[in-house]
Amino acid sequence: MIKIYHYPACSSCKKALAFLRDNGISFEAVDISISPPSEQELVEMIERQGGIKPLFNSSGTRYREGGYSERLPTMSREDAVRALARDGMLVKRPFVLTPKHALLGFKPEPWKALLGGL
């Protein structure tokens, strides 16, 4: 079963959940605003995505209000991970991490290639 961190009002998240349902993929939906990914999950995603910047929801209000576009370049990886783990609204979503998959955001083609065969 796949755990997908999502935000119920997010249109990309709604599309991702519909994709999983439509393809008969079992999943556990976790509201990222209530239960953000753990520091361990975030570190693993950073390693698999090749950096921390892709994990930030740069179009979000909290990102702008927190001044992360200015702060992020000088933040330590540990401080950035702690910020993401404390506030799920900073995390790009949907967020899916499995032993085989590391997906941020919803774009149908990568999801089809990675999840369609499950």
Side-chain angles (χ1 to χ4, degrees):
M1 179 179 296
I2 292 173
K3 183 189 322 185
I4 178 170
Y5 289 95
H6 74 105
Y7 183 60
C10 168
S11 61
S12 294
C13 295
K14 290 176 185 178
K15 290 175 188 174
L17 294 173
F19 172 86
L20 294 173
R21 276 189 218 96
D22 292 348
N23 286 280
I25 299 169
S26 297
F27 64 90
E28 172 191 359
V30 178
D31 185 335
I32 202 165
S33 68
I34 297 170
S35 298
S38 69
E39 288 187 19
Q40 180 180 347
E41 290 170 313
L42 291 163
V43 167
E44 186 173 345
M45 184 65 87
I46 291 165
E47 291 169 1
R48 292 170 70 183
Q49 291 290 322
I52 196 153
K53 188 170 173 69
L55 274 71
F56 277 86
N57 177 15
S58 59
S59 62
T61 304
R62 300 253 176 87
Y63 183 87
R64 288 190 305 276
E65 288 174 352
Y68 285 95
S69 61
E70 295 84 27
R71 294 174 50 202
L72 191 55
T74 60
M75 286 179 83
S76 71
R77 178 171 145 166
E78 293 78 19
D79 287 343
V81 167
R82 275 193 291 275
L84 291 165
R86 275 193 312 266
D87 185 354
M89 296 305 286
L90 285 174
V91 180
K92 184 166 180 79
R93 55 192 183 260
F95 178 109
V96 174
L97 185 64
T98 73
K100 294 181 181 180
H101 309 102
L103 299 170
L104 287 171
F106 180 73
K107 293 184 180 168
E109 290 312 310
W111 282 62
K112 286 177 189 173
L114 293 173
L115 300 177
L118 291 178

